[in-house]
Amino acid sequence: MINIKKIKCEISKTTEYFFKQLGRSEQKKIGQFTTPIQVAEYMAERLINNAVISSNHTIKILDPGSGTGILGLAVVEKLFTLFPQIHVELIAYENDPIALKVLKYNLRLVKDWSDKNKMSFSYDIRERNYILEDEELINDSAYLYRNSYDLIIANPPYKKLSKNSLEANAMNFIVHGAPNIYGLFWAKSIIELKPKATSAFIIPRSWMSGAYFERLRKFVFSMGSIIELHAFGDRNNIFGSTKVLQELVIVIFQKQKTEIINVWAHDDIKSLNESNPLIVPKHLAIVGSEQRVYLITNTKEIAIARWAESLPSTFIKSGLKMKTGLTVCFRNRELIEDKETDFNVPIFYSDNFENHRIKLKRKNGQYLSTKRPGLLQDNIDYIFIKRFSSKEEARRIQTAFYDSQQFSNKQKISTDNKLNFVIAESNYLLRGAFIVLSSTIFDDYYRLLSGNTQVNSTEINSMKFPSKNVLYEIGYKYSVSQLINMKQDKIDQIVFKMIGGRSDE
């Protein structure tokens, strides 16, 4: 066993030094969050355990968002522990001046240590933007180092970019809408992996769903496979005092096709080695033409995924459509009114929910002037769904049935942008959809798809759903009055009887 304990302690100290140089606002500005050493060591272990290492040739490692070098150096340590005679070459990219200072010091420490112990280690620090390489080569930069690396490990920056940014233009084949730079790092690194080689990234879960990341997902899965996913029960403790509120996952990618994904659910970073994997079939985890990724971490969630897979239709094909509320209130303050008049209409907010019913209970701002017809919608029956919930709330999808007869004196109404509403081809379909959307199993199904606390209408519209006939049959049996007074147990019983599946399986 190689004794590198003193070096690791010194590297930890220099990394802490770097962290203290950056305030929270500076970290967010550059998208830089340092990786705790126990996470770095675990990522290095999972990376090497999944790689095919030959001890008789050079192993070339890439750390494209190196920071202070903690991840790359964790891989170096693990390699030398397992293969003392191997030659290790580390390529590290970093362009932040404070991080560079610490990175150079750390790599020099390891180089001196390896020379002293007669081990073969070399490194190259590239002081430039990993995505761009050289500004004059933007259009080709993603392909400069194709098939170069045996191992890649990264905690890339997390930062939204303009779709017209230099980085987005360089990687335009995966960009849709407003990109996040971590996706660009991941895609370029996959190009640079050798065939059958392996990478380990710790990144936000947001890539797993949503239109913005659809091109990225399709590119990733065209190049190889996710072979491991590691999820964390507590999103607050991965980066300790940096208070990163992203829901993060460790992704082990391999540049070849496989049919299963091993998924770990970790309580926190202190118990990383205490968790056991769940084997998930690829067809259950990666679904639909958008190739969204379900985060399935236990057998109950496998049952939910199988239930969803069995549904014969999609939300939109079943005659339904979810839309986002029409009025962005802070942009239309001059139209918001407190008292009802002949020249305004009720505007509904998420705080108008009372269980499954809607009530006008705001003292202020409950009405919207009719001066802008584009903010008005017909007074018909809808399903209202809160767009936002807190992480701690029991349900992600919170529903209420809007009964137009309750406000029969109005031809038009409006909805706040923080609300979603569902329209349907018939009222019976709407009632049936209300039962399904309000069920426990559908809420759990949505949680597989999205780590966000936002209910995204685009995602709902493409999700698997019961057929029109089944929805019609359910909706025909129950009046609006019965729906809005229905208890959760009754809703779940109806769904189980008509569609199958239990959330407690």
Side-chain angles (χ1 to χ4, degrees):
M1 180 68 71
I2 304 301
N3 185 1
I4 197 173
K5 186 174 181 180
K6 289 183 179 179
I7 301 295
K8 287 168 67 175
C9 288
E10 185 65 24
I11 289 171
S12 294
K13 288 179 183 177
T14 58
T15 301
E16 183 67 18
Y17 164 80
F18 167 69
F19 170 69
K20 289 179 178 178
Q21 305 308 302
L22 297 177
R24 171 72 175 169
S25 61
E26 291 174 299
Q27 289 175 343
K28 291 184 70 175
K29 184 177 179 180
I30 64 173
Q32 180 75 59
F33 298 94
T34 57
T35 313
I37 194 162
Q38 58 265 60
V39 175
E41 290 176 342
Y42 185 73
M43 288 177 65
E45 177 185 319
R46 298 314 311 159
L47 174 65
I48 293 171
N49 280 3
N50 283 285
V52 177
I53 306 294
S54 174
S55 59
N56 59 7
H57 76 276
T58 297
I59 297 298
K60 194 172 181 181
I61 307 166
L62 171 66
D63 185 350
S66 199
T68 63
I70 195 80
L71 280 170
L73 294 175
V75 178
V76 172
E77 178 205 355
K78 181 66 70 174
L79 284 172
F80 279 140
T81 300
L82 297 171
F83 311 104
Q85 304 307 315
I86 207 168
H87 175 68
V88 177
E89 181 182 355
L90 174 63
I91 310 299
Y93 283 81
E94 185 53 59
N95 59 359
D96 176 74
I98 301 176
L100 268 170
K101 181 180 177 181
V102 180
L103 176 63
K104 290 176 180 178
Y105 179 81
N106 285 345
L107 287 175
R108 187 69 249 174
L109 272 180
V110 175
K111 176 61 176 169
D112 291 344
W113 171 85
S114 64
D115 289 347
K116 183 179 179 180
N117 288 276
K118 298 182 180 180
M119 292 178 178
S120 183
F121 172 64
S122 61
Y123 66 89
D124 178 14
I125 299 175
R126 296 179 179 171
E127 301 180 25
R128 51 186 180 268
N129 185 314
Y130 171 65
I131 300 300
L132 300 182
E133 290 288 337
D134 298 297
E135 289 188 18
E136 66 271 16
L137 296 174
I138 288 175
N139 291 331
D140 300 318
S141 63
Y143 298 97
L144 287 178
Y145 301 102
R146 186 193 303 261
N147 299 342
S148 293
Y149 298 102
D150 301 284
L151 299 170
I152 299 177
I153 191 165
N155 172 14
Y158 317 147
K159 184 172 64 173
K160 288 184 179 180
L161 300 172
S162 163
K163 63 181 179 180
N164 298 317
S165 67
L166 293 176
E167 291 89 347
N169 286 332
M171 303 287 289
N172 58 15
F173 59 93
I174 62 158
V175 171
H176 173 77
N180 193 305
I181 196 169
Y182 79 78
L184 309 187
F185 269 68
W186 192 22
K188 186 181 177 188
S189 79
I190 286 172
I191 293 167
E192 298 185 348
L193 268 180
K194 292 179 179 178
K196 298 184 179 181
T198 310
S199 69
F201 270 61
I202 183 165
I203 49 179
R205 183 183 167 185
S206 52
W207 67 273
M208 297 171 72
S209 62
Y212 283 177
F213 293 96
E214 183 176 338
R215 283 188 177 182
L216 172 65
R217 291 192 299 274
K218 289 182 176 180
F219 173 77
V220 167
F221 297 131
S222 72
M223 299 290 281
S225 302
I226 304 298
I227 58 172
E228 289 187 7
L229 272 174
H230 297 256
F232 296 88
D234 186 351
R235 62 178 177 163
N236 292 314
N237 71 3
I238 300 173
F239 289 99
S241 56
T242 58
K243 298 181 180 178
V244 178
L245 292 182
Q246 295 273 12
E247 186 168 353
L248 300 175
V249 289
I250 295 172
V251 186
I252 310 297
F253 172 88
Q254 205 159 70
K255 209 167 183 178
Q256 62 181 340
K257 301 295 184 180
T258 62
E259 294 305 317
I260 62 169
I261 303 173
N262 288 290
V263 183
W264 274 258
H266 304 290
D267 292 334
D268 54 47
I269 64 173
K270 296 176 182 178
S271 57
L272 288 171
N273 291 303
E274 297 173 11
S275 307
N276 294 309
L278 178 74
I279 298 173
V280 179
K282 181 180 175 181
H283 71 90
L284 285 182
I286 301 172
V287 298
S289 60
E290 306 90 352
Q291 295 191 270
R292 296 168 298 177
V293 181
Y294 292 168
L295 186 57
I296 301 171
T297 60
N298 54 51
T299 54
K300 171 188 168 182
E301 291 172 346
I302 285 182
I304 293 167
R306 292 193 187 281
W307 173 81
E309 185 183 42
S310 73
L311 298 177
S313 185
T314 65
F315 194 79
I316 206 155
K317 287 180 181 178
S318 291
L320 306 156
K321 189 172 185 180
M322 183 178 288
K323 298 183 177 182
T324 301
L326 304 184
T327 303
V328 181
C329 290
F330 76 87
R331 292 177 182 164
N332 296 279
R333 289 191 182 97
E334 74 281 6
L335 302 177
I336 306 297
E337 299 173 353
D338 297 337
K339 294 183 179 180
E340 183 179 11
T341 71
D342 292 336
F343 306 101
N344 64 26
V345 299
I347 177 171
F348 294 96
Y349 304 83
S350 59
D351 60 13
N352 289 125
F353 281 45
E354 189 168 289
N355 296 319
H356 289 306
R357 67 177 69 232
I358 293 293
K359 287 193 173 182
L360 293 178
K361 54 185 181 180
R362 280 192 161 209
K363 293 182 179 179
N364 300 304
Q366 190 68 79
Y367 298 90
L368 183 76
S369 168
T370 57
K371 290 179 182 178
R372 292 187 187 169
L375 301 181
L376 307 180
Q377 60 199 87
D378 291 338
N379 182 25
I380 59 175
D381 287 4
Y382 298 100
I383 302 168
F384 285 167
I385 296 179
K386 294 182 181 181
R387 274 186 70 198
F388 300 97
S389 59
S390 71
K391 201 73 179 176
E392 292 69 34
E393 286 183 89
R395 291 188 64 86
R396 188 69 67 244
I397 298 178
Q398 300 180 44
T399 59
F401 197 95
Y402 174 79
D403 180 6
S404 57
Q405 293 302 308
Q406 195 177 347
F407 307 95
S408 56
N409 63 325
K410 298 291 183 181
Q411 290 187 327
K412 299 286 184 178
I413 63 168
S414 189
T415 43
D416 175 47
N417 189 249
K418 295 179 182 177
L419 201 67
N420 289 323
F421 63 91
V422 176
I423 57 174
E425 292 176 2
S426 79
N427 200 268
Y428 290 134
L429 280 180
L430 191 73
R431 295 183 202 179
F434 174 80
I435 292 287
V436 177
L437 288 169
S438 302
S439 69
T440 300
I441 195 168
F442 192 86
D443 188 69
D444 288 340
Y445 169 34
Y446 186 75
R447 286 172 183 267
L448 294 185
L449 172 66
S450 177
N452 297 326
T453 54
Q454 177 177 344
V455 176
N456 185 295
S457 59
T458 302
E459 289 175 348
I460 294 285
N461 284 328
S462 62
M463 288 179 72
K464 297 294 291 293
F465 215 67
S467 68
K468 284 185 182 181
N469 289 341
V470 169
L471 295 175
Y472 189 95
E473 186 178 352
I474 295 173
Y476 183 78
K477 292 180 179 179
Y478 301 99
S479 67
V480 172
S481 176
Q482 288 175 305
L483 292 181
I484 61 179
N485 289 293
M486 196 172 285
K487 302 296 184 185
Q488 189 64 53
D489 285 351
K490 177 66 173 177
I491 291 171
D492 291 340
Q493 287 170 14
I494 294 168
V495 170
F496 176 63
K497 180 179 179 182
M498 299 297 294
I499 305 167
R502 285 186 186 276
S503 191
D504 59 356
E505 284 183 320

